Amino acid sequence: MKQNSPLRTEIPPIEFMGNSQVLVGLCDGILEYEPETVKLRAGKRLIRINGRCLDLCNLSEKTVMIRGVISSVEFEG
Amino acid sequence: MTVMWKWLRWLFGYSVLEIRGAYGEKFITLCMKEEIDLWEIRRICPGIIRVKVFLFAVKQLEPLARKSGVVLEFVENQGLSVTLKRYRHRYGLFLGMGLYLVSLFFLSQVVWSVEIPGANPIQAKQIQSVLLREGFGVGSLIPSVDYKNLRYQLMLDLDNISFVSVNMKGCRAVVEVRFSEEAPESVDDGTPCNIVASRDGQIVSVLVQTGARYVQKGQTVQKGDLLIGGIMDTRLGYYVVHAKGQILARVTDIQTETVPLIQRVTERTGKYTVKRIWNFFGKELDASPWFFCPYEEFETVTEVKYLSFGEDAKIPVFLTETYYYETVSHEVEISAEEAKSIAVSRLDEADRLRFYGTEIESIRETVTETPEGVVLTRERSIIVDICEDKTFYFED
């Protein structure tokens, strides 16, 4: 499968380190940010990360790193 | 990685700012799209998000804030440029930093020490003298060292060197030397010779390898007596050989030591004066140029104090302090027992090397008191090889 195929690019890479850190790639924007929830847009999908004391500790082009106590991840769309 | 990023952020400088308003997320998204790095984004209370951003990117934030309808409030700036700005009027600090950098550069450009592993003190001194003559030593500038010439001069000036290399390990110069092994002394078996007694004694054992035996066990000989002859008499006639063998004899060794009962003793009075000389990278600086020792009788003690940071980091800057202690001499009378113990210790010290490996049969000591002092006579009966080669000439 080619790396730039539509199927591949639609899926945002999400990388967890335990439940204390999550790295979300291909992120197009922050829709909502509260200490208990972070809602991101990644292509056509919406990703909601729930937890406690959530911080956006690093924000660079298309990549968001979230730290805190992560309890769940939800996909919408 | 994290540490490197922290250093980079500190180096470039960053600003801590608060995003006030209901559309903080929109502002952050716009920053992402504009590829402006934000980190440590934290909502501190409803409507306020605190972020950190590089100082060089701050100017780009104002239009984005207007576009997203938020207000930016700058809390503080951090980083190298901010720290430098804070201390911009403290000239001493910058001077100190400058001096530090200059001295760091200078210290890294000079030779701190010269090490010569594998050489004994005499060889090391010879090598050092050649190096010094060629202008290489403690304090020499490392970039100007001509290693090829040093190797060449060392090989040329010193005998028995099979390999030499001069390497710099940081600021330490390591001179690696390998000495060629001397060829063993050739044994001259061709020259005809006799073996004669090197001293008086009584023969204990006779071992003849070549030549005609002239003595036997139990016989007494005097110095110069023929022990093994180099002329062999056979039925076919005479022929000459290089006589060889081992003849052990019991000989008497007498040593005397006289210790006067009146001894001269030197004592310090407690007064002293010090002469100090600083040495900076091989260059001497006299710290007491007008030094004068006021004492008629004195003894000196020299101490060298190195400027060092631990045992391995010894900077070639040291202070040589020479203490001149005033002394007075006077005569004291010692007892005969004390004089005897002094004589015994002196003879023991002398004998330690003299009779190393020698078989000693018996020792007899006699002590005599004379007006000059105590005379200790030590008489030893020892077993030694008394063979001595004596070449002779003949005509065919």
Side-chain angles (χ1 to χ4, degrees):
Chain A
M1 192 185 290
K2 285 182 181 176
Q3 221 172 12
N4 57 355
S5 70
L7 234 162
R8 180 93 178 170
T9 49
E10 273 179 13
I11 304 163
I14 301 175
E15 205 174 290
F16 281 92
M17 189 177 281
N19 70 337
S20 61
Q21 186 175 303
V22 62
L23 191 76
V24 183
L26 297 176
C27 179
D28 293 324
I30 314 284
L31 300 179
E32 187 186 342
Y33 169 48
E34 295 295 333
E36 292 79 26
T37 181
V38 178
K39 195 173 174 184
L40 311 168
R41 190 174 64 230
K44 289 176 185 174
R45 289 167 191 271
L46 297 179
I47 303 166
R48 183 187 289 275
I49 295 153
N50 300 311
R52 286 184 286 118
C53 309
L54 298 178
D55 286 342
L56 305 174
C57 66
N58 212 334
L59 201 75
S60 56
E61 190 196 1
K62 299 248 172 192
T63 309
V64 178
M65 188 190 275
I66 299 160
R67 272 195 195 143
V69 183
I70 298 154
S71 56
S72 65
V73 179
E74 294 170 21
F75 292 90
E76 297 170 20
Chain B
M1 190 71 180
T2 318
V3 176
M4 200 187 81
W5 267 110
K6 272 186 180 175
W7 272 102
L8 272 175
R9 285 164 181 172
W10 183 80
L11 203 67
F12 287 111
Y14 60 89
S15 188
V16 181
L17 55 94
E18 285 178 356
I19 307 162
R20 290 170 182 264
Y23 306 107
E25 291 89 345
K26 192 179 174 186
F27 174 78
I28 293 168
T29 306
L30 285 174
C31 285
M32 277 178 76
K33 284 181 179 165
E34 291 295 323
E35 297 181 11
I36 299 168
D37 279 343
L38 300 177
W39 68 94
E40 290 188 28
I41 304 158
R42 184 169 293 169
R43 187 176 285 281
I44 50 172
C45 61
I48 301 176
I49 299 171
R50 186 172 278 188
V51 298
K52 287 180 179 174
V53 62
F54 279 117
L55 280 175
F56 57 76
V58 165
K59 278 185 184 173
Q60 292 173 266
L61 298 179
E62 285 299 331
L64 300 181
R66 276 198 298 275
K67 203 172 171 183
S68 54
V70 294
V71 177
L72 298 180
E73 193 168 302
F74 289 88
V75 179
E76 60 172 349
N77 291 337
Q78 292 284 341
L80 178 66
S81 58
V82 179
T83 310
L84 289 176
K85 201 174 175 184
R86 193 184 301 157
Y87 296 113
R88 66 187 181 278
H89 296 302
R90 298 178 72 169
Y91 305 114
L93 193 71
F94 291 105
L95 186 71
M97 276 168 66
L99 280 174
Y100 169 75
L101 290 173
V102 167
S103 58
L104 196 68
F105 176 75
F106 172 73
L107 287 172
S108 65
Q109 296 294 305
V110 296
V111 177
W112 286 26
S113 66
V114 179
E115 292 170 17
I116 309 165
N120 65 38
I122 298 167
Q123 291 165 339
K125 209 153 195 173
Q126 285 175 335
I127 292 165
Q128 271 178 343
S129 69
V130 175
L131 293 174
L132 282 173
R133 198 191 63 213
E134 293 303 313
F136 181 78
V138 174
S140 300
L141 281 171
I142 294 171
S144 65
V145 176
D146 184 355
Y147 299 101
K148 202 174 171 183
N149 179 52
L150 287 177
R151 277 201 303 273
Y152 175 72
Q153 288 298 332
L154 283 169
M155 292 290 281
L156 204 67
D157 290 12
L158 300 173
D159 298 329
N160 304 329
I161 285 186
S162 62
F163 168 80
V164 66
S165 77
V166 182
N167 303 306
M168 291 305 302
K169 288 185 178 174
C171 290
R172 290 184 303 129
V174 180
V175 183
E176 283 181 46
V177 189
R178 268 179 227 135
F179 293 92
S180 53
E181 290 193 9
E182 282 183 32
E185 211 173 298
S186 60
V187 180
D188 180 17
D189 283 351
T191 315
C193 77
N194 291 323
I195 286 180
V196 297
S198 61
R199 56 203 292 186
D200 301 349
Q202 185 186 19
I203 306 294
V204 173
S205 73
V206 179
L207 175 70
V208 178
Q209 287 172 302
T210 319
R213 191 172 77 169
Y214 279 80
V215 287
Q216 49 191 314
K217 192 179 169 185
Q219 187 181 332
T220 54
V221 290
Q222 285 187 323
K223 186 180 176 182
D225 282 356
L226 183 64
L227 303 177
I228 303 171
I231 301 169
M232 301 290 283
D233 181 12
T234 65
R235 288 183 182 175
L236 297 170
Y238 293 96
Y239 70 95
V240 290
V241 293
H242 181 98
K244 277 196 287 186
Q246 187 193 47
I247 295 181
L248 297 178
R250 181 179 294 110
V251 300
T252 307
D253 181 87
I254 300 169
Q255 275 182 290
T256 54
E257 181 68 38
T258 308
V259 178
L261 291 174
I262 307 295
Q263 297 276 318
R264 195 160 184 82
V265 178
T266 304
E267 283 178 348
R268 288 181 187 175
T269 61
K271 291 179 187 172
Y272 69 94
T273 179
V274 192
K275 181 176 173 60
R276 292 183 177 89
I277 296 173
W278 279 98
N279 192 306
F280 292 93
F281 296 90
K283 307 279 181 294
E284 284 193 351
L285 180 72
D286 198 343
S288 39
W290 294 282
F291 176 80
F292 169 71
C293 180
Y295 315 125
E296 273 186 28
E297 281 185 49
F298 59 88
E299 62 184 25
T300 57
V301 176
T302 303
E303 283 181 18
V304 181
K305 292 174 181 171
Y306 275 91
L307 190 64
S308 64
F309 305 103
E311 277 187 19
D312 293 332
K314 203 179 266 186
I315 297 176
V317 175
F318 57 87
L319 175 68
T320 310
E321 287 184 329
T322 310
Y323 289 84
Y324 290 77
Y325 292 98
E326 189 189 28
T327 56
V328 285
S329 300
H330 56 269
E331 289 181 343
V332 290
E333 191 173 351
I334 58 171
S335 66
E337 276 302 310
E338 283 174 324
K340 190 193 165 189
S341 68
I342 291 169
V344 167
S345 64
R346 280 183 193 170
L347 279 183
D348 285 347
E349 187 65 32
D351 290 355
R352 196 172 298 148
L353 288 173
R354 199 159 164 247
F355 294 109
Y356 180 75
T358 308
E359 188 186 334
I360 299 169
E361 276 194 332
S362 62
I363 303 174
R364 199 179 63 178
E365 284 182 354
T366 48
V367 181
T368 329
E369 283 189 38
T370 61
E372 288 80 35
V374 170
V375 181
L376 176 71
T377 307
R378 191 176 274 179
E379 199 177 312
R380 280 188 183 79
S381 175
I382 55 174
I383 308 292
V384 286
D385 186 359
I386 57 167
C387 288
E388 186 182 86
D389 287 3
K390 191 153 192 182
T391 314
F392 61 84
Y393 299 96
F394 68 100
E395 286 181 7
D396 287 332

